[in-house]
């Protein structure tokens, strides 16, 4: 008989049965409490349905999980109970950063209303801000909301990446236009010297690259 899979191994593999078996076997041991929660781990590995299944089995969502799963009523409930709006996950992310990356457009509303920092920097080497996360996830509505809340459109994350560099590399013309209209600098290069037009070209978005060179 094969040994039971570790909880995090099962989640990463998208093995729902093994993940639930491991989850039911015992509560999270102390060493796992320094890791992302099982729900977030599932989201990090692209298993959104599994994340919801795990959340249902656990029976509640913490603020970061609720933000990532776009559960705005739960976000409001936790904020009303005194949860810090910019509290950090063990790997250094704020609820707003997670909402921005995973498309939590409804959850982002109460977070920003309660004072979540649109310029919070992740406490890990990636150093993303919420706008970087929204652009990476291609969530236009959240990006626009963050810009309206005062997010720095020229903020740099790891390797000197700006939101405009990410949007250009993704070929996301609508986000490129939104960022340019908000004052993003098309001449800012990353640490390797690549400008937005260069990244657009590199990824096969020639028309967008030409537009950026004229911006």
């Amino acid at each position: 008989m094969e040994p039971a899979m570790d909880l995090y191994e099962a989640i990463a593999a998208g093995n729902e049965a093994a993940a639930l078996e491991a989850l039911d076997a015992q509560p999270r041991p102390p060493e796992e409490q320094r890791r992302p929660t099982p729900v977030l781990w599932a989201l990090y590995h692209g298993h959104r349905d599994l994340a919801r299944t795990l959340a249902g089995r656990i029976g509640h969502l913490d603020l970061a999980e609720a933000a990532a799963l776009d559960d705005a009523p739960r976000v409001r409930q936790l904020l009303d109970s005194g949860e810090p709006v910019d509290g950090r996950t063990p790997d250094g992310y704020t609820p707003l950063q997670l909402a921005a990356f995973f498309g939590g457009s409804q959850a982002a509303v109460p977070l920003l209303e309660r004072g979540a920092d649109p310029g919070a920097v992740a406490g890990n080497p990636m150093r993303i801000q919420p706008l970087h996360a929204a652009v990476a996830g291609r969530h236009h509505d959240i990006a626009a909301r963050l810009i309206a809340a005062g997010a720095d459109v020229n903020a740099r994350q790891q390797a000197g990446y700006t939101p405009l560099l990410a949007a250009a590399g993704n070929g996301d013309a609508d986000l490129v236009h939104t960022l340019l209209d908000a004052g993003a600098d098309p001449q800012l290069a990353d640490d390797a010297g690549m400008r937005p037009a260069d990244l657009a070209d590199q990824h096969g978005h020639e028309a967008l690259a030409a537009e950026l060179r004229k911006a």
Side-chain angles (χ1 to χ4, degrees), residues 62-159:
D62 67 21
L63 184 57
E65 294 167 341
L69 286 172
D70 202 21
D71 188 340
R74 177 63 173 165
V75 168
R76 292 184 187 279
Q77 179 187 44
L78 289 167
L79 292 174
D80 287 344
S81 73
E83 285 289 319
V85 70
D86 282 326
R88 302 284 177 147
T89 61
D91 49 348
Y93 296 112
T94 68
L96 184 58
Q97 289 167 346
L98 293 169
F101 184 75
F102 290 110
S105 57
Q106 299 303 310
V109 174
L111 290 169
L112 287 167
E113 287 176 348
R114 303 297 181 89
D117 183 359
V121 178
N124 58 50
M126 292 188 67
R127 297 189 58 76
I128 66 162
Q129 296 183 22
L131 186 56
H132 295 119
V135 172
R138 305 189 186 195
H139 302 301
H140 297 208
D141 54 340
I142 301 176
R145 191 177 296 278
L146 290 167
I147 291 169
D152 180 0
V153 294
N154 290 311
R156 294 182 181 276
Q157 65 169 99
Q158 185 182 46

Side-chain angles (χ1 to χ4, degrees), residues 5-72:
M5 293 181 77
D6 167 79
L7 173 60
Y8 284 80
E9 179 186 4
I11 292 171
N15 188 328
E16 179 178 312
L20 292 174
E21 180 182 0
L23 184 67
D24 291 342
Q26 61 180 27
R28 294 176 69 200
E31 64 271 14
E32 287 188 359
Q33 293 173 14
R34 296 190 294 271
R35 301 175 68 177
T37 66
V39 171
L40 289 178
W41 196 246
L43 287 170
Y44 290 177
H45 286 83
H47 305 307
R48 195 173 188 88
D49 289 343
L50 177 55
R52 292 191 179 280
T53 298
L54 291 167
R57 182 64 63 92
I58 293 167
H60 64 273
L61 295 173
D62 67 21
L63 184 57
E65 294 167 341
L69 286 172
D70 202 21
D71 188 340

